[in-house]
Amino acid sequence: MTGRAPLKLQIDLGDRSYPIVIGQDLLDDVELAAHHVAARDVLVVTNETVGPLYSARLLAGLAGKRVRTVELPDGERHKTLTVLERVFDALVEARMNRDACVVALGGGVIGDMAGFAAACYQRGVDFVQVPTTLLAQVDSAVGGKTGVNHPGGKNLIGAFHQPRAVLSDLGTLRTLPPRELRAGLAEVIKYGLIDDAAFLAWIESSVDALLALDMDALAQAVRRSCEIKARIVAADEREHGQRALLNLGHTFGHAIETAAGYGEWLHGEAVALGMLLAADLSQRLGYIDTADATRVRELLRRAGLPIEAPAIGAARALELMGMDKKVLQGRLRLVLLREIGAGIVTGDYPADALQATLRGHFEVPA
Ligand code: NAD
Ligand code: GLY
């Protein structure tokens, strides 16, 4: 899509609606950041990897404003309340007020942390997402979930706080490590599985182009993923119902991430394996057939995502899954596949079917 005009979507949330702009080399459009970051006082939150690569280009677009930058250490294991204090310290030291804007420049870890800081600082200031991973561009930068991890579970401390805009520069994906690109593809596949069988078929035919960083294919993947997420979030912002569909694979995945130690498994990798387990359970319950479950496994394999679970044990996996935010009145609700392209959220499944799925994947072989 070299030279093509950026794509623009809108997420409709009344007076909290905002645009998602998707394009190549958006960071070189000096008017774009200035247009979407209305505040005079700006704190750019980034990390030690992304900052050196991209903050100068972002800052050029914020010329004339009073801008401070805070660089956090890189990695999921730093997504903690302790590290978040550095963002609050920077805001206070710069004497920023309620009219300040926090700009998140980075992947989902930075986006979630900067967004949570913006939700809390002086009870809420504006923030803008500038996501630089595929995962953040298709998922975490959109929809307003922000937060940090707790040793007892992923993202247990957080808030809903919508950004004012999401500016997704596809060109930043060129420097992304291939493993991170693959992890982002897991979330793209998720949208096809829960909502759009035609999109899933398109991903199957485009997976090689996506892995080769074909910009047209990436633009299409980010656009369709954001369209699906924007529609679901607009209908159920606070996850009282259908938004939980976006968590396909996440309940199993969070257990893997927590058991392995944050950062060992990438979030997208854990979600990929979680989707495999969700497909396994959906097959056991008779929703999908063996060919469908094999199709899910084959696409994940072609995308270079894990299809073998770590041997954490079924009991430990179930215990960790019990910390999931989808537990309602003691009942663990899961996102399953009613068919390819149609997810369901249900707590109505026999416990022994879940046990069979967990034992089939998480047990140490005898
Ligand atoms: P990440 O933020 O850790 O980024 C992955 C790695 O890529 C990091 O090392 C980062 O420094 C590096 N990086 C980022 N952009 C780069 C670039 N353009 N070039 C080179 N390196 C780059 O991981 P992620 O996969 O983006 O996000 C995962 C996080 O997102 C998890 O904490 C997960 O819980 C969260 N998440 C949140 C939501 C939500 O709705 N808020 C949804 C999905 C995931
Ligand atoms: N990533 C899940 C959600 O935004 O709801």
Side-chain angles (χ1 to χ4, degrees):
M1 64 175 295
T2 317
R4 298 235 179 119
L7 304 163
K8 196 166 163 190
L9 313 173
Q10 178 83 0
I11 175 156
D12 293 320
L13 289 164
D15 60 1
R16 283 167 296 103
S17 299
Y18 54 92
I20 304 166
V21 186
I22 303 161
Q24 219 183 313
D25 303 323
L26 292 187
L27 285 172
D28 293 329
D29 178 348
V30 286
E31 284 170 18
L32 191 76
H35 176 71
H36 290 286
V37 181
R40 191 183 69 94
D41 283 351
V42 180
L43 181 73
V44 175
V45 181
T46 185
N47 74 18
E48 61 203 1
T49 306
V50 179
L53 288 169
Y54 297 113
S55 60
R57 283 165 70 194
L58 176 65
L59 294 186
L62 298 173
K65 297 179 185 290
R66 197 167 76 92
V67 185
R68 296 281 184 282
T69 301
V70 60
E71 262 185 26
L72 301 180
D74 187 0
E76 183 75 34
R77 70 184 188 287
H78 298 295
K79 190 178 166 185
T80 62
L81 274 176
T82 310
V83 175
L84 194 68
E85 277 182 32
R86 299 193 203 177
V87 181
F88 295 126
D89 290 347
L91 285 160
V92 173
E93 276 161 25
R95 303 176 68 82
M96 295 212 181
N97 292 315
R98 272 204 171 150
D99 55 4
C101 179
V102 173
V103 177
L105 174 68
V109 169
I110 287 298
D112 281 12
M113 294 178 79
F116 187 42
C120 301
Y121 186 65
Q122 300 204 3
R123 300 198 181 86
V125 297
D126 282 355
F127 92 112
V128 167
Q129 291 268 20
V130 184
T132 63
T133 65
L134 181 59
L135 185 138
Q137 293 182 357
V138 299
D139 192 354
S140 62
V142 175
K145 279 189 183 174
T146 72
V148 294
N149 299 328
H150 184 275
K154 277 275 298 174
N155 299 329
L156 285 185
I157 302 159
F160 286 98
H161 189 57
Q162 298 293 345
R164 289 283 172 193
V166 180
L167 310 178
S168 291
D169 184 334
L170 300 170
T172 60
L173 303 180
R174 290 204 185 91
T175 54
L176 196 61
R179 185 179 168 198
E180 299 289 350
L181 186 78
R182 294 194 292 269
L185 263 185
E187 301 280 9
V188 177
I189 292 168
K190 173 190 80 179
Y191 292 110
L193 287 172
I194 59 168
D195 193 73
D196 186 343
F199 184 45
L200 190 82
W202 177 85
I203 299 166
E204 287 171 321
S205 64
S206 308
V207 68
D208 295 334
L210 291 164
L211 289 170
L213 289 173
D214 177 297
M215 287 290 146
D216 284 324
L218 285 168
Q220 166 74 350
V222 176
R223 179 186 64 79
R224 186 66 193 133
S225 299
C226 288
E227 279 173 357
I228 293 170
K229 182 153 187 181
R231 196 193 72 236
I232 291 175
V233 170
D236 179 23
E237 183 183 7
R238 297 266 168 156
E239 200 168 306
H240 297 302
Q242 63 164 294
R243 182 166 180 167
L245 288 173
L246 295 170
N247 290 325
L248 176 69
H250 285 59
T251 306
F252 298 106
H254 285 172
I256 295 167
E257 280 182 272
T258 308
Y262 296 131
E264 284 304 309
W265 278 62
L266 300 184
H267 176 75
E269 292 172 340
V271 166
L273 196 75
M275 293 193 294
L276 190 87
L277 270 66
D280 179 297
L281 183 52
S282 304
Q283 184 196 338
R284 286 176 198 276
L285 299 178
Y287 292 139
I288 63 172
D289 60 23
T290 314
D292 290 330
T294 305
R295 188 177 164 193
V296 174
R297 171 184 284 264
E298 180 57 12
L299 179 55
L300 296 173
R301 188 195 61 73
R302 287 184 58 216
L305 288 159
I307 50 175
E308 300 293 339
I312 61 176
R316 176 78 175 132
L318 192 60
E319 180 194 332
L320 290 170
M321 287 168 72
M323 281 307 291
D324 191 271
K325 292 184 283 304
K326 284 186 299 306
V327 173
L328 208 63
Q329 289 164 352
R331 184 82 187 144
L332 179 63
R333 293 179 305 146
L334 291 172
V335 187
L336 300 176
L337 296 175
R338 189 163 45 74
E339 60 187 27
I340 296 292
I344 45 163
V345 185
T346 179
D348 186 17
Y349 51 83
D352 57 353
L354 174 60
Q355 278 293 344
T357 292
L358 296 179
R359 276 198 303 272
H361 289 84
F362 286 120
E363 283 304 332
V364 190

